[in-house]
Amino acid sequence: IKGNYFRGPNAPPKVRSVIPWVGYAVQFGERPIEFLLECKEKYGPVFTFTMFGTDVTYCLGSEASAKFWGSHNDILNAEDLYRNITEPVFGEGIAYAVPHKVFSEQKQMAKEALTKKRFEAYTSIIEKETLDFIKGWGDSGTFDFFEQMAKMIVFTATHCLHGKETRDNFDATAAALYHDLDGGFTPLAWFFPYWVPFPSFLRRDRAHVELKKRFGRVIAMRRESGKVKAGRTDLMETFMTVPYKKVLDGRTMTDNEVAGLLIALLMAGQHTSSTVSSWLISFVCTVPGLLDKLYEEQKKAFEILPGPLSMEHLDHMPLLHACVRETLRLRPPIMCIMRRAREDFVVKAEGRTYAIPKGSQVCVSPTVNQRLPDEWDDPLTFDPYRFLKKEDGKYVVTMGEHLPKGGRFKWVPFGAGRHRCIGFEFAQLQIRCIVSTLIRNFDLRLASGKLPAINYRTMIHTPLDANVVYKKRPEAVV
Ligand code: HEM
């Protein structure tokens, strides 16, 4: 990292590169976390660098990122940056392809299907799906854990969120279509318009049309059977029945919007949750004795209450929940969150004022906030107990707010403010149900004995070579 160049008295310091246009794209691509930490160390919490001709300004740490999280979408805007990538995958009429107030209502509707009441139904669905999946593993073996999680979570999430009919019809063709659609989230999509005929873009577009047709058939079947309000607990039902409140003249969603949102929400949760589950098992296997403690917790919970798995069981598993939160701290799937400044944007941190000009790309990083030594003690150590506090002799799971150290945005794996994740509770529930079911049935260890390296080449930081050796427990029910 060279130089310390200021554009105007209050502009963030610029990390100058000797390579014009490309700037720090290579360094950021190869070791983004270390690069950002080094820049913070040298330039302070707010700085700018160039990547492929774009100046990117990062605001790191609780104090410097606070205004980012609190900003209105008209000032720091999401769709200016995300639309080109997401619209071809999710379709028109939803998410970043519509004005923010419409997307806000769509998220509000989704939240109605992601309540504690519905979670009761989801818990046993996820346990059953997990059991069906792991039945195929046999008594022992080795596999790439991330691959297994990615496959399994499509089933658990589809069943909970898209409904039973979609799950029953989920076959190899549907999996291939999702794969092609997902292939649309390639780095090419950041730099080229959606219509360029790259093979991956063409596959993406075909998959989009085909998946929408499939959803269309299920929606039509539900409408025809007249059972729209028959107590179903999935998101499809909610989107089909709940009208917009303050926008679009209070109409209900079109089939196209319903299908698009179902695709979007599955994709928002699928890689994120499978990555977290894989890192969780990887961390747990590297801390001596932790897997045994988790297994003990499972046995106790099921001694107190007989199965199947329920929300009440999960209340008896605080250590498992704390492991999920600690994994989300050290390996948040979304490393950076971006906005376009539609107005000049001023940030104050560490006694300085930074004037970020209108038009800039402004970013924050959950990964960096969550591993700063001024926010966390011993930040690089996996210690789930930091998320537990004792109340009346019992462990209660926190988000780290009870700790004396750190600011308000030290733990932000699901973002914060207007764009905060609506799948926050569901994702944690899904991961806890899956991991609970796995460790009750299998003993697991990492084939290499070492924590896998981080794969920086994927948009979500997945584990590289997460090979896990598994062995069925004598008490297993599969
Ligand atoms: C937003 C992370 C699972 C739906 C976000 C954001 C983050 C995030 C960091 C903020 C993005 C931004 O500010 O630009 C995660 C993680 C997950 C997860 C780590 C799992 C471990 C899910 C699931 C769903 C979901 C399961 C759906 C059921 C959404 C939606 C938004 C969002 C709709 C709002 C986007 C916006 O308003 O711009 N998520 N997510 N996520 N997430 Fe999640």
Side-chain angles (χ1 to χ4, degrees):
I1 299 167
K2 292 193 175 34
N4 189 355
Y5 164 69
F6 290 79
R7 297 157 300 143
N10 284 332
K14 177 126 190 216
V15 186
R16 266 205 301 175
S17 166
V18 286
I19 314 170
W21 193 75
V22 174
Y24 282 97
V26 175
Q27 288 87 334
F28 186 82
E30 282 178 353
R31 41 194 289 282
I33 306 171
E34 292 77 5
F35 174 74
L36 291 177
L37 287 168
E38 282 165 21
C39 290
K40 181 174 183 293
E41 187 64 32
K42 189 158 182 191
Y43 297 95
V46 182
F47 51 86
T48 303
F49 58 93
T50 304
M51 284 199 294
F52 296 134
T54 302
D55 270 2
V56 183
T57 299
Y58 266 85
C59 305
L60 301 177
S62 276
E63 191 192 10
S65 63
K67 199 162 167 205
F68 178 103
W69 302 115
S71 282
H72 197 277
N73 193 60
D74 289 341
I75 296 172
L76 286 191
N77 183 273
E79 57 267 23
D80 286 355
L81 291 172
Y82 295 155
R83 183 172 183 172
N84 190 46
I85 297 195
T86 53
E87 190 175 5
V89 178
F90 306 155
E92 71 275 17
I94 62 153
Y96 303 109
V98 287
H100 185 63
K101 59 183 181 188
V102 177
F103 183 29
S104 294
E105 281 218 16
Q106 293 170 344
K107 288 196 293 187
Q108 201 50 45
M109 290 183 215
K111 279 190 196 162
E112 292 187 27
L114 297 170
T115 55
K116 288 245 154 68
K117 199 162 161 248
R118 301 233 182 149
F119 286 172
E120 214 33 91
Y122 294 167
T123 311
S124 48
I125 292 177
I126 298 169
E127 185 190 35
K128 182 160 181 325
E129 284 288 352
T130 308
L131 287 170
D132 286 350
F133 189 87
I134 61 181
K135 255 181 213 151
W137 285 357
D139 288 346
S140 62
T142 305
F143 49 47
D144 183 310
F145 199 68
F146 173 65
E147 260 176 44
Q148 294 293 312
M149 289 300 101
K151 283 184 191 159
M152 188 200 291
I153 286 174
V154 172
F155 296 140
T156 55
T158 302
H159 198 156
C160 294
L161 305 179
H162 295 176
K164 190 170 179 323
E165 305 96 314
T166 313
R167 167 64 186 102
D168 288 345
N169 291 320
F170 196 98
D171 51 15
T173 325
L177 289 172
Y178 272 113
H179 182 267
D180 286 351
L181 199 57
D182 198 36
F185 288 126
T186 123
L188 287 177
W190 286 106
F191 302 107
F192 293 93
Y194 68 93
W195 45 260
V196 178
F198 292 126
S200 60
F201 285 14
L202 295 173
R203 282 196 300 272
R204 170 198 69 194
D205 296 344
R206 268 196 301 271
H208 177 83
V209 171
E210 194 47 47
L211 274 169
K212 282 247 171 109
K213 273 193 210 151
R214 286 179 166 231
F215 278 117
R217 286 198 286 272
V218 178
I219 294 168
M221 196 189 71
R222 282 195 181 188
R223 290 201 200 282
E224 275 161 28
S225 69
K227 285 185 194 156
V228 160
K229 288 189 179 135
R232 291 194 186 98
T233 55
D234 52 69
L235 276 171
M236 180 184 278
E237 197 67 11
T238 307
F239 291 147
M240 285 173 66
T241 52
V242 177
Y244 288 104
K245 291 191 177 70
K246 296 183 200 143
V247 296
L248 304 177
D249 299 326
R251 66 165 172 80
T252 48
M253 284 192 198
T254 62
D255 291 3
N256 195 34
E257 288 164 5
V258 173
L261 277 169
L262 292 176
I263 293 174
L265 297 183
L266 182 82
M267 295 204 141
Q270 202 255 345
H271 288 312
T272 45
S273 302
S274 45
T275 306
V276 175
S277 311
S278 314
W279 279 116
L280 189 155
I281 290 296
S282 305
F283 276 118
V284 161
C285 290
T286 51
V287 178
L290 186 54
L291 187 61
D292 293 339
K293 281 192 189 145
L294 284 169
Y295 184 50
E296 281 309 308
E297 184 179 69
Q298 295 297 312
K299 285 202 291 195
K300 264 198 200 135
F302 281 85
E303 267 162 35
I304 299 168
L305 302 160
L309 183 66
S310 66
M311 295 286 283
E312 220 184 325
H313 285 92
L314 295 179
D315 289 342
H316 290 281
M317 301 171 189
L319 182 59
L320 174 60
H321 201 171
C323 285
V324 176
R325 295 227 161 132
E326 179 67 337
T327 307
L328 282 160
R329 184 182 72 81
L330 280 173
R331 295 288 184 275
I334 298 183
M335 199 208 79
C336 62
I337 297 177
M338 293 173 248
R339 304 279 185 265
R340 171 81 66 217
R342 284 189 173 177
E343 294 178 9
D344 291 344
F345 187 67
V346 175
V347 171
K348 292 187 179 167
E350 297 184 6
R352 281 190 57 182
T353 300
Y354 299 92
I356 303 169
K358 178 178 170 178
S360 300
Q361 188 169 312
V362 188
C363 302
V364 292
S365 170
T367 313
V368 171
N369 284 21
Q370 294 173 183
R371 57 169 69 193
L372 286 175
D374 43 346
E375 307 270 8
W376 297 93
D377 281 329
D378 204 2
L380 297 185
T381 302
F382 185 86
D383 175 11
Y385 290 93
R386 64 172 97 228
F387 287 97
L388 294 175
K389 72 171 179 184
K390 275 233 163 115
E391 265 176 21
D392 302 329
K394 272 187 170 176
Y395 275 131
V396 176
V397 190
T398 75
M399 286 187 263
E401 68 280 7
H402 72 292
L403 299 168
K405 201 171 191 182
R408 192 168 155 216
F409 302 104
K410 66 182 173 189
W411 192 77
V412 277
F414 296 99
R418 285 171 180 78
H419 292 276
R420 185 175 188 243
C421 183
I422 55 159
F424 162 76
E425 301 260 22
F426 175 73
Q428 292 182 79
L429 174 98
Q430 177 166 249
I431 297 166
R432 282 146 75 204
C433 292
I434 290 174
V435 175
S436 155
T437 312
L438 285 181
I439 59 184
R440 272 181 282 134
N441 288 285
F442 286 94
D443 190 23
L444 305 161
R445 70 180 171 80
L446 286 167
S448 69
K450 285 195 316 230
L451 195 65
I454 302 175
N455 183 0
Y456 291 128
R457 304 218 172 259
T458 43
M459 274 168 87
I460 285 177
H461 290 170
T462 53
L464 264 179
D465 300 327
N467 281 327
V468 164
V469 181
Y470 62 94
K471 189 161 177 256
K472 201 183 269 183
R473 296 189 187 275
E475 307 83 352
V477 295
V478 285

